Amino acid sequence: MEQLRSNCALMAEIDRIAEVAGYLWTKGWAERNGGNISVNVTSLLTPEDLALPALAPAKALPEKMEALAGHVFYVTGTGKRMRYVAQAPFENGSLIRVAADGLSYEIIAEQPIQPTSELPSHLMMHNYVRSTGRDNKVVLHTHPTDLIGMTHCKRFLNSDYLTKVLWSMIPECRIIVPKGIGIVPYEIPGTVELARATIKQLENHDVVFWEKHGILAVGEDLIECFDAIDTLSKSAQIYFSARLASGEDPEGMTQQQLDDLVPAFGL
Ligand code: 13P
Ligand code: ZN
């Protein structure tokens, strides 16, 4: 599709999506088709791009998404592998446009690739965060082994406790994930129930753990979303290393050391 390929701003963002998809695979967070990405690209499109004809019949959304009316998203395809999204983003994902009434969406480019099964969660999250007045652009879902492993332990299924443990492993974690972590008890992947429970957690957090399934980050920038999850994963690895080395729970940074970061970094 010549028209889209000549849109440098759009193609630069698509390149970033491919870059991050590659990181997810090399990190070992994207077995088979694990994980999905959606990015709001509306502000990068020309009026002609925004008006592209639909490639397939419109599909109903699970609820009205007023804050997304007319918005266009790049969305990875269901069943598609991140390692191939990295190589060919338009063969493993598509651009979708939400209808003006916010009730349905159409695939508009480049091929009729069906969006991720987590589309209800992604769009409901985009809609929720935008409706709070934030210029949210990204929802990133991935399967980091270390972080998912922690959600298999009952004592970590407490948002305050898990946040404190991960924050206290390295100062950067407190700085890069300042709102801490929300936790959603296990729900069937791809369901509206999972989406609703996640939105509740987004009232106070930008990163949410799905028990025994995966991690999700929202934000304005895809690389920043990746970095937040990567930093949490680093903290988890430090926790496991320290535990292995001593046979005990690591003490971590003290509350005072964590609190001192707040004025020092304007958190
Ligand atoms: P999709 O292939 O439908 O994106 O599903 C992957 C996944 O991680 C579901 O949670
Ligand atoms: Zn998943």
Side-chain angles (χ1 to χ4, degrees):
M1 203 174 282
E2 285 296 308
Q3 178 183 324
L4 283 179
R5 300 274 173 157
S6 62
N7 178 334
C8 297
L10 172 69
M11 294 316 292
E13 188 61 23
I14 298 293
D15 282 350
R16 279 156 61 87
I17 293 168
E19 178 189 339
V20 168
Y23 297 155
L24 300 180
W25 165 248
T26 51
K27 280 272 175 191
W29 299 352
E31 74 293 342
R32 197 174 185 275
N33 60 313
N36 21 75
I37 302 172
S38 62
V39 179
N40 190 329
V41 294
T42 315
S43 64
L44 307 175
L45 299 182
T46 64
E48 293 74 37
D49 298 337
L50 288 166
L52 280 167
L55 300 180
K59 284 204 170 160
L61 290 170
E63 62 183 36
K64 192 173 168 76
M65 313 244 175
E66 267 170 340
L68 304 185
H71 283 249
V72 174
F73 296 83
Y74 172 88
V75 187
T76 52
T78 187
K80 300 297 184 185
R81 292 156 171 83
M82 281 299 159
R83 59 188 189 267
Y84 299 149
V85 173
Q87 292 171 11
F90 275 130
E91 284 165 34
N92 294 279
S94 52
L95 293 189
I96 64 165
R97 178 178 58 221
V98 177
D101 61 8
L103 288 170
S104 63
Y105 75 88
E106 296 169 320
I107 302 172
I108 59 169
E110 281 189 333
Q111 301 173 34
I113 308 275
Q114 290 309 311
T116 169
S117 58
E118 301 289 3
L119 193 68
S121 281
H122 280 249
L123 290 185
M124 284 166 75
M125 282 185 253
H126 280 287
N127 189 52
Y128 168 74
V129 187
R130 285 196 76 79
S131 68
T132 66
R134 290 168 58 193
D135 187 20
N136 191 70
K137 295 250 166 41
V138 177
V139 174
L140 169 61
H141 164 58
T142 185
H143 294 173
T145 313
D146 40 20
L147 298 176
I148 297 172
M150 293 184 96
T151 73
H152 282 262
C153 310
K154 268 209 170 58
R155 74 187 164 116
F156 291 130
L157 293 176
N158 172 301
S159 169
D160 290 342
Y161 179 67
L162 184 55
T163 296
K164 172 84 193 302
V165 168
L166 293 176
W167 270 359
S168 74
M169 289 299 112
I170 184 169
E172 277 70 14
C173 195
R174 174 76 184 84
I175 298 162
I176 293 167
V177 192
K179 294 189 193 168
I181 302 149
I183 296 175
V184 171
Y186 182 80
E187 291 280 357
I188 296 174
T191 58
V192 172
E193 289 70 27
L194 179 59
R196 294 222 165 91
T198 309
I199 286 168
K200 192 101 208 64
Q201 294 302 313
L202 292 180
E203 289 170 14
N204 298 310
H205 308 282
D206 291 336
V207 181
V208 176
F209 284 29
W210 284 347
E211 181 188 349
K212 298 172 189 146
H213 175 170
I215 314 302
L216 231 131
V218 300
E220 289 170 26
D221 181 271
L222 181 57
I223 305 279
E224 302 275 354
C225 289
F226 170 81
D227 286 341
I229 300 174
D230 191 32
T231 305
L232 290 164
S233 167
K234 168 59 75 87
S235 281
Q237 288 173 43
I238 296 169
Y239 174 87
F240 296 139
S241 305
R243 219 184 174 292
L244 206 65
S246 67
E248 295 166 11
D249 269 354
E251 262 178 45
M253 296 162 63
T254 65
Q255 189 59 50
Q256 188 61 55
Q257 287 169 335
L258 287 170
D259 291 346
D260 288 346
L261 295 171
V262 176
F265 288 88
L267 300 173

